[in-house]
């Protein structure tokens, strides 16, 4: 019965998640693509694609959205979906920069053009489709890192080319470029430094818990409690003791320790990192097969040789997973450090909130998200590469 | 080669796991330690390489007290194979086999050569298997790599704890033959722990029977079957299987006599159990015996029957 079979076949060609993404993209195309404001803090006026861009560019974007809808909704190879997602994202990014030049009256230094909700929604749909396609492609770890590097390079190119210079976000950046990079360095130092310090403390602690069983339950529950204290409260709780240390321990102040600032933020971040690192170290070491450890002893390996040549390499994927959790978490929480004078991208976020300048909030939030995302991709790839070489046995 | 003197191990107040045990294993011999699960076999074995420290008594290897060496140094001189092979999953086959030579700081080239030599000895093409991970091998191959790893630094003594336990019966038989051949060629002294009497009879020059931490008897398989020291040993070696086990110990050439017989011949290298089987199956009273295709005589059912019974002069149980 070909008449009935035809719709059934067509339905089978439809991609469920893709349809959802296509609907999101439709919504994005209908919402305002750009936001025009007379100055940086007044509420803006949303402009749809047709009015935000010169007609040829608007038409081009419209066509791109149509192609995207088709690629998303139908069952096509993941590579096509990836191309559609990445293509729409790139085009939307370039065109939103063009709309800034198009909308700003010549010679007006106060007017601001920002990406509108339509741009964000379209971009979100495009990212979603690209990310889903990447997952389906099952790229090996190295390829995923390459894709990440490529995406970052394209973003860098976009920023460097000046295509976005007319956007309010970059105008906010332009007036505080130096501060941006200084806070960026501070943010990275806080997040990565605290994870490094937590590794220095947590790995030996995990090892100790592994060797001395009675220690395990006690230490892990203490760290568990630490983990549940809200970050702002923990930052606050540390102000007192550290101020006391700064005032009473000779040389402490010279080391940069004080009640407010980077020191309590750093200590709190280390505290948050300890539980995942210690517990993953314990779990990772406990997961090493007994017969393998016995064999290592039986072959005449000494304690240290056993640890570094057999136990730690075999536990590495689990330990690294803990480090990944903590790194992504700390890149996020480090934002809160700004509240107690710890610096970092959070400075812009809280300034922006104070001035109701959303672009400034974005200037702090966007690089934070980007940093966390890049760290997650990198470490996931590392974990997979390691477990690929260690645990092929487990897959059998 | 290995001399165990009044060795004991106790954990806390529980009855000793190994109880005042003395025995000796001659150089170049395979000694199979048999006993039920929990009888202390593993503990005995692990006290020889000091993975477990004895509570009392001592172990001498080549006349030297093992306590004169540090534990890890002692273990680098003694091959050790455990059940389930215990290969390092994150290392290649070559790295696994080279473990002890690396600990002993052999030269790189010497290690590589030794790895290839051992792979070839165990019938695994070095170029094919050298760089594989343990997970990419079959169970039988993993087991062979485990034995090769234990033999890498040319130890005089090899300890094996149920090395074939994880293999299926066909592969196990092949692995046992292979071990016997390699051991005969290298002359390594082997202590092999097993709970399988069949395996002990097949491989052991001597069998040591343990029960509840005590050594009940240590003797050649023939001696043990003919004169079991206790009812427990008798039950272990005995039962309906005893005549067949006894026959499987000797080759046809040991029972060959002059004379003619009809039908297909049997090889002089086959064991007597196989000869009996051939007699019964083909309904003959005698089989012609050949060596290298040459008739050398015959083996008769009557001779087999004599050899399947306890030796003359031994009181029948
Ligand atoms: N570390 C230990 N602590 C307490 N008891 C042990 C320990 N190791 C072994 N045992 C006990 O010793 C007995 C003999 O163990 P084992 O030598 O492994 O026997 P087998 O290898 O013959 O099965 C068992 O009952 C076991 O419970
Ligand atoms: Mg055992």
């Amino acid at each position: 019965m070909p008449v009935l079979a035809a719709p059934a076949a067509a339905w089978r060609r439809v991609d469920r998640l893709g349809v959802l993404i296509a609907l999101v993209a439709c919504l994005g195309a209908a919402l305002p693509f750009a936001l025009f404001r007379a100055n940086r803090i007044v509420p803006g006026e949303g402009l749809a694609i047709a009015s935000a861009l010169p007609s040829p560019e608007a038409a081009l974007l419209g066509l791109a959205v149509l192609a995207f809808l088709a690629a998303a909704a139908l069952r096509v190879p993941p590579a096509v979906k990836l191309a559609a997602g990445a293509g729409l994202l790139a085009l939307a990014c370039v065109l939103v920069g063009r709309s800034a030049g198009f909308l700003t009256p010549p010679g007006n230094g106060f007017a601001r053009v920002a990406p509108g909700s339509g741009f964000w929604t379209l971009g979100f749909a495009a990212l979603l489709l690209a990310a889903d396609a990447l997952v389906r492609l099952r790229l090996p770890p190295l390829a995923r890192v390459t894709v990440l590097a490529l995406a970052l390079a394209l973003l860098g190119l976009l920023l460097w080319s000046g295509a976005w210079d007319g956007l309010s976000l970059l105008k906010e950046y332009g007036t505080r470029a130096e501060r941006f990079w200084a806070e960026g360095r501070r943010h990275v130092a806080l997040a990565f430094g605290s994870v490094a310090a937590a590794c220095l403390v947590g790995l030996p602690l995990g090892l100790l818990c592994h060797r001395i069983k009675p220690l395990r339950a006690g230490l892990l529950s203490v760290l568990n409690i630490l983990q549940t204290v809200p970050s702002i409260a923990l930052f606050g709780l540390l102000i007192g003791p550290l101020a006391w240390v700064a005032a009473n321990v000779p040389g402490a102040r010279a080391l940069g320790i004080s009640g407010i600032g980077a020191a309590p933020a750093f200590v709190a971040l280390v505290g948050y990192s300890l539980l995942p690192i210690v517990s993953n170290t314990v779990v990772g070491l406990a997961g090493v097969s007994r017969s393998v450890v016995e064999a290592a002893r039986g072959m005449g390996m000494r304690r240290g040789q056993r640890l570094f040549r057999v136990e730690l390499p075999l536990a590495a994927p689990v330990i690294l997973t803990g480090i990944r959790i903590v790194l992504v978490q700390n890149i996020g929480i480090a934002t809160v450090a700004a509240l107690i004078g710890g610096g970092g991208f959070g400075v812009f976020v809280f300034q922006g909130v104070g001035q109701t300048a959303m672009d400034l909030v974005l200037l702090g939030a966007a690089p934070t998200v980007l940093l966390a995302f890049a760290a997650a991709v990198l470490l996931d790839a590392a974990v997979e590469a390691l477990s690929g070489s260690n645990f092929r046995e487990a897959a059998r | 080669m290995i001399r165990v003197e009044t060795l004991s191990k106790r954990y806390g107040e529980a009855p000793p796991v190994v109880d005042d045990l003395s025995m000796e294993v001659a150089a170049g011999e395979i000694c199979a330690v048999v006993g039920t699960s929990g009888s202390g076999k593993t503990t005995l074995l692990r006290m020889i390489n000091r993975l477990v420290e004895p509570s009392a008594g001592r172990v001498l290897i080549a006349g030297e007290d093992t306590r004169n060496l540090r534990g890890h140094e002692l273990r680098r001189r003694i091959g050790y194979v455990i059940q389930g092979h215990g290969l390092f999953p994150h290392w290649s086959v070559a790295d696994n086999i080279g473990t002890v030579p690396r600990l002993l700081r052999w030269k790189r080239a010497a290690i590589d050569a030794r790895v290839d030599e051992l792979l070839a000895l165990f019938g695994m093409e070095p170029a094919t298997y050298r760089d594989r991970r343990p997970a990419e091998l079959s169970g039988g191959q993993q087991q062979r790599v485990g034995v090769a790893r234990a033999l890498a630094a040319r130890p005089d003594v090899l300890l094996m704890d149920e090395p074939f336990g994880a293999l299926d019966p066909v592969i196990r038989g092949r692995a046992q033959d292979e071990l016997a051949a390699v051991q005969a060629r290298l002359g390594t002294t082997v202590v092999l722990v097993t709970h399988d009497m069949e395996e002990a009879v097949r491989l052991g020059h001597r069998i040591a029977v343990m029960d509840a931490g005590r050594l009940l008897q240590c003797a050649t398989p023939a001696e043990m079957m003919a004169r079991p020291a206790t009812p427990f040993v008798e039950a272990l070696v005995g039962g309906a299987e005893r005549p067949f086990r006894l026959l499987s110990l000797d080759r046809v050439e040991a029972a060959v006599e002059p004379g003619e017989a009809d039908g297909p011949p049997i090889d002089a290298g086959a064991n007597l159990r196989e000869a009996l089987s051939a007699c019964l199956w083909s309904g003959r009273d005698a089989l012609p015996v050949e060596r290298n295709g040459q008739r050398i005589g015959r083996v008769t059912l009557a001779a087999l029957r004599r050899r399947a019974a306890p030796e003359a002069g031994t009181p029948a149980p």
Side-chain angles (χ1 to χ4, degrees):
Chain A
M1 291 204 286
V3 183
L4 281 182
W11 176 243
R12 239 178 285 128
R13 293 178 49 83
V14 164
D15 177 334
R16 308 275 173 87
L17 175 67
V19 168
L20 204 69
I21 294 176
L23 286 177
V24 173
C26 285
L27 180 70
L31 287 169
F33 184 68
L35 210 60
F36 179 83
R37 282 171 300 180
N39 62 52
R40 71 188 277 257
I41 52 177
V42 295
E45 172 198 2
L47 297 162
I49 293 179
S51 39
L53 288 167
S55 344
E57 272 105 331
L60 182 64
L61 186 57
L63 283 179
V65 170
L66 286 180
F68 177 83
L69 294 180
L74 297 179
R75 281 189 191 271
V76 291
V80 175
K81 286 181 186 276
L82 177 61
L88 180 64
L89 188 65
L91 188 67
C93 284
V94 171
L95 289 186
V96 81
R98 295 272 298 153
S99 81
F102 178 66
L103 294 175
T104 311
N108 182 338
F110 299 112
R112 292 292 153 104
V113 176
S117 54
F119 169 83
W120 295 118
T121 314
L122 265 184
F124 176 67
L127 256 183
L128 217 55
L129 190 71
D132 179 52
L134 278 176
V135 170
R136 291 197 208 181
L137 279 173
R138 290 177 197 281
L139 292 181
L142 192 63
R144 292 210 304 266
V145 173
T146 311
V147 169
L148 174 72
L150 205 67
L152 290 179
L154 283 177
L155 180 65
L157 189 70
L158 186 74
L159 292 171
W160 174 79
S161 69
W164 272 13
D165 282 356
L167 286 178
S168 54
L169 179 67
L170 285 207
K171 287 190 172 162
E172 296 290 352
Y173 166 75
T175 57
R176 42 174 80 70
E178 218 167 290
R179 183 83 196 276
F180 178 84
W181 291 109
E183 296 300 352
R185 277 193 295 277
R186 174 68 71 81
H187 198 102
V188 168
L190 269 177
F192 285 74
S194 61
V195 171
C199 286
L200 280 182
V201 180
L203 291 178
L205 269 184
L207 203 64
L208 216 61
C209 286
H210 175 67
R211 288 272 154 83
I212 307 165
K213 305 267 140 74
L215 194 64
R216 189 180 302 174
L219 189 69
L220 286 184
S221 52
V222 168
L223 293 177
N224 229 328
I225 293 170
L226 197 60
Q227 190 81 7
T228 55
V229 179
S231 48
I232 185 68
L234 189 56
F235 285 138
L237 282 176
L238 285 165
I239 292 179
L242 284 174
W244 184 87
V245 168
N248 295 290
V249 177
R253 195 171 285 280
L255 284 173
I257 293 175
S258 67
I260 58 166
F266 187 83
V267 172
L269 287 174
V270 171
Y272 276 125
S273 319
L274 279 179
L275 177 71
I277 289 182
V278 173
S279 66
N280 277 47
T281 305
V282 171
V283 170
L285 287 173
V288 178
S289 137
R290 255 195 78 75
S291 75
V292 169
V293 180
E294 275 301 289
R297 263 189 88 206
M299 296 294 113
M301 286 192 201
R302 312 169 70 152
R303 199 175 258 262
Q305 291 169 330
R306 237 153 52 219
L307 183 66
F308 287 107
R309 298 187 190 184
V310 178
E311 296 181 276
L312 281 180
L314 286 175
V318 181
I319 297 177
L320 213 55
T321 305
I323 294 177
R324 173 214 183 280
I325 293 169
V326 156
L327 187 58
V328 173
Q329 164 196 290
N330 280 13
I331 289 174
I333 301 183
T335 318
V336 184
L339 281 185
I340 54 162
F345 286 129
V347 168
F348 304 122
V349 174
F350 292 112
Q351 271 181 13
V353 170
Q355 306 172 5
T356 62
M358 283 320 286
D359 298 316
L360 195 51
V361 174
L362 201 61
L363 186 66
T368 308
V369 171
L370 207 63
L371 208 56
F373 180 74
V377 171
L378 273 179
L379 283 175
D380 277 341
V383 169
E384 197 180 312
L386 267 181
S387 34
S389 58
N390 279 355
F391 290 117
R392 260 184 272 174
E393 189 168 33
R396 283 190 347 141
Chain B
M1 185 69 190
I2 306 173
R3 196 181 157 87
V4 173
E5 290 181 356
T6 61
L7 205 58
S8 294
K9 179 71 192 178
R10 38 172 76 245
Y11 291 104
E13 293 304 305
V17 172
V18 170
D19 191 4
D20 195 29
L21 191 148
S22 299
M23 65 185 273
E24 204 159 341
V25 183
E29 205 177 66
I30 298 183
C31 174
V33 180
V34 200
T36 48
S37 181
S39 54
K41 309 181 294 292
T42 296
T43 308
L44 169 66
L45 197 73
R46 288 157 60 89
M47 282 195 283
I48 297 176
N49 67 4
R50 284 181 52 202
L51 281 173
V52 171
E53 293 292 347
S55 311
R58 59 176 193 162
V59 177
L60 307 177
I61 292 183
E64 196 185 358
D65 192 327
T66 51
R67 286 172 302 188
N68 294 345
L69 283 174
R70 294 204 283 168
H72 62 270
E73 283 165 354
L74 175 73
R75 288 190 280 276
R76 289 173 191 177
R77 295 190 186 183
I78 299 178
Y80 183 53
V81 182
I82 55 178
Q83 179 169 3
H85 65 73
L87 294 179
F88 303 122
H90 57 311
W91 286 354
S92 67
V93 164
D95 288 341
N96 266 285
I97 296 179
T99 304
V100 183
R102 271 202 311 282
L103 290 171
L104 294 172
R105 300 183 187 285
W106 286 18
K107 291 253 180 334
R108 181 70 207 235
I111 297 176
D112 292 346
R114 181 65 178 154
V115 167
D116 288 0
E117 182 188 344
L118 281 163
L119 280 173
L121 181 68
F122 283 93
M124 295 171 71
E125 172 57 41
T128 313
Y129 291 103
R130 204 189 284 131
D131 297 320
R132 292 218 185 156
R133 296 297 174 108
E136 296 165 316
L137 303 178
S138 72
Q141 288 168 338
Q142 290 173 341
Q143 197 277 334
R144 279 184 264 175
V145 172
V147 180
R149 178 176 67 175
L151 291 172
R154 301 195 178 85
D156 296 325
V157 171
L158 178 62
L159 307 179
M160 310 180 89
D161 195 350
E162 310 206 10
F164 309 116
L167 303 181
D168 65 67
V170 176
I171 307 287
R172 186 185 309 161
R174 216 176 294 154
Q176 288 165 342
D177 290 344
E178 195 174 59
L179 175 70
V182 167
Q183 188 272 342
R185 190 161 145 195
L186 303 179
T188 313
T189 308
V190 178
V191 180
L192 176 122
V193 162
T194 173
H195 59 253
D196 176 8
M197 195 62 195
E198 211 74 56
E199 180 169 292
V201 170
R202 186 166 181 166
L203 290 174
H205 299 123
R206 282 165 161 279
I207 299 178
V209 176
M210 282 185 73
D211 183 40
R214 295 189 145 272
L215 181 65
L216 298 183
Q217 186 172 15
C218 183
T220 64
E223 231 174 88
M224 189 164 283
M225 276 181 263
R227 285 182 291 273
T230 72
F232 180 85
V233 177
E234 190 181 332
L236 209 59
V237 299
E241 286 288 316
R242 189 141 55 136
F244 306 112
R245 282 191 181 140
L246 211 48
L247 284 178
S248 72
L249 290 175
D250 282 320
R251 296 185 186 285
V252 168
E253 57 197 348
V256 75
E257 57 191 69
E260 291 296 320
D262 297 326
I266 188 164
D267 191 83
N271 69 40
L272 291 176
R273 184 181 185 156
E274 290 161 332
L276 176 67
S277 167
C279 280
L280 296 176
W281 195 248
S282 60
R284 288 177 286 170
D285 286 332
L287 307 173
V289 178
E290 276 189 5
R291 183 190 285 136
N292 305 326
Q294 214 72 67
R295 286 281 158 104
I296 60 165
R298 64 174 184 176
V299 58
T300 64
L301 195 53
L304 292 174
R305 187 180 294 142
R306 268 197 310 282
R307 283 173 172 271
E311 291 162 56
T314 324

